[in-house]
Amino acid sequence: MSYLWHIIIYLNCLRLLLFNNHIVTDDELRLPLSNRAFQYNDGFFETIIIRQGRLRFWEAHEQRMQEAARALQLQLPPLFFSSELTERLLELATQQHALAHGRLKLKVWRAGAGLYTPETNNVDWLAAAQPTEAIYNLPLQVGVCRQTHTLYSPLSHFKGPNAPVYVQAGLEKKAHGKDDMLLLDRQSTVSEFTAANVFWIQGDALCTPPLETGCINGVLRRSILRWCLQQQVKVEECSATVEQLGRANVVFAANVTGIRAVGRLEESELPTQHPLLDRLQSSLLG
């Protein structure tokens, strides 16, 4: 094989990243040991789905990033409030062959060094994109976390600061061989899944836990609640036990990747079909 072909293969294998609005390869990226994301988890992230050249639910992602920045007292750059950011993210997705079906992760953290007291409220940011395949949509087999609980705080509604909670829940999921695990708060009230919000249909109402249980204020959660308001579908943010969840008409997980019904909750078989679930699928994800 010629030297030129070695170079072409090498370049094709390089992963391109967008770091502070500059394209770099993964082997060019250098972050200092004082990086505050590494030292203190001082930031947040968004996972964005790309479908047919569009950033799905982008306005909801923008809203949550602004909420996260306010809670962490971070100063987002002007780029984050312009169409240039979406253009740059889609350029990255194109270069990574992720424009038709892709996943993009946008990480934002406080710049500078310092100990617990920051030197600045300015941020650094990094975006990475990769192609994805069609979502696997069989009903979920779910267990209940017994060692890990959610805890409400001003930081619990967005992604990043509480990541160790979901890591520990992921270890329980792996140990029990489940598709997902249901997280409860300290009062044993249903809160969320490890990577998705939980919804259930009870009678004529769509139910979901309130943010006070410590759950993430998910992008699809926001979109579902907004859609229900527009369609005059009754919605209740309510507390529920695992036993009450098991008596629902249908239970499903919802995040930016899609909606999946729960077919089994611990030892209980659950219904997986409901007209409202079909409407949500077709209206928000079709």
Side-chain angles (χ1 to χ4, degrees):
M1 187 180 292
S2 70
Y3 177 74
L4 177 60
W5 273 110
H6 280 290
I7 294 295
I8 292 173
I9 292 172
Y10 173 72
L11 291 174
N12 286 335
C13 290
L14 287 177
R15 187 180 185 190
L16 298 179
L17 307 168
L18 189 60
F19 177 57
N20 289 343
N21 208 25
H22 299 287
I23 291 288
V24 298
T25 60
D26 53 4
D27 61 348
E28 291 174 333
L29 182 66
R30 295 290 184 271
L31 298 176
L33 195 59
S34 60
N35 175 276
R36 294 187 65 85
F38 172 71
Q39 293 286 355
Y40 301 111
N41 200 22
D42 190 6
F44 63 90
F45 69 87
E46 290 287 315
T47 302
I48 302 154
I49 298 301
I50 306 163
R51 286 292 181 269
Q52 304 305 325
R54 295 178 62 253
L55 302 176
R56 180 185 276 178
F57 304 121
W58 176 246
E59 290 183 1
H61 284 290
E62 282 186 313
Q63 180 183 4
R64 190 165 64 177
M65 286 192 290
Q66 292 172 20
E67 293 168 359
R70 284 196 297 270
L72 291 167
Q73 300 184 50
L74 298 176
Q75 184 65 48
L76 297 177
L79 175 71
F80 274 56
F81 304 96
S82 73
S83 60
E84 183 185 350
L85 178 60
T86 58
E87 292 169 3
R88 294 290 282 160
L89 294 176
L90 289 173
E91 288 173 10
L92 176 67
T94 300
Q95 292 171 319
Q96 291 298 107
H97 310 290
L99 198 60
H101 295 275
R103 179 193 296 262
L104 190 146
K105 193 163 189 177
L106 178 59
K107 305 176 186 178
V108 181
W109 64 91
R110 197 183 311 270
L115 299 177
Y116 283 108
T117 303
E119 297 176 341
T120 179
N121 289 332
N122 293 331
V123 302
D124 289 322
W125 59 276
L126 177 70
Q130 63 184 49
T132 59
E133 297 180 356
I135 300 301
Y136 188 64
N137 205 32
L138 289 178
L140 292 165
Q141 310 296 304
V142 173
V144 178
C145 282
R146 303 298 181 185
Q147 301 175 3
T148 307
H149 301 273
T150 57
L151 183 65
Y152 175 75
S153 80
L155 310 180
S156 59
H157 64 282
F158 55 86
K159 293 186 173 183
N162 297 310
V165 170
Y166 305 105
V167 172
Q168 293 300 309
L171 291 173
E172 281 196 61
K173 178 182 77 171
K174 185 177 180 180
H176 292 281
K178 300 294 185 181
D179 297 322
D180 211 335
M181 298 293 280
L182 186 67
L183 281 153
L184 311 178
D185 65 11
R186 287 292 182 183
Q187 287 71 47
S188 296
T189 296
V190 169
S191 179
E192 61 185 339
F193 294 112
T194 59
N197 287 114
V198 56
F199 286 85
W200 63 98
I201 299 170
Q202 193 70 56
D204 64 346
L206 179 68
C207 305
T208 195
L211 297 180
E212 286 73 20
T213 61
C215 65
I216 294 287
N217 192 4
V219 162
L220 190 53
R221 179 185 189 274
R222 298 165 188 252
S223 299
I224 289 173
L225 297 182
R226 187 182 306 114
W227 181 87
C228 287
L229 180 64
Q230 294 169 349
Q231 300 296 316
Q232 298 183 328
V233 174
K234 183 180 179 181
V235 173
E236 295 180 359
E237 292 188 59
C238 54
S239 300
T241 63
V242 175
E243 290 73 21
Q244 289 171 324
L245 203 65
R247 295 193 293 269
N249 299 122
V250 71
V251 179
F252 63 91
N255 64 18
V256 289
T257 66
I259 292 173
R260 289 182 67 180
V262 174
R264 177 183 285 271
L265 177 58
E266 293 203 306
E267 302 306 317
S268 300
E269 295 284 347
L270 302 182
T272 60
Q273 302 291 325
H274 194 280
L276 179 55
L277 186 59
D278 295 337
R279 289 177 63 195
L280 286 169
Q281 289 271 22
S282 61
S283 298
L284 295 175
L285 301 166

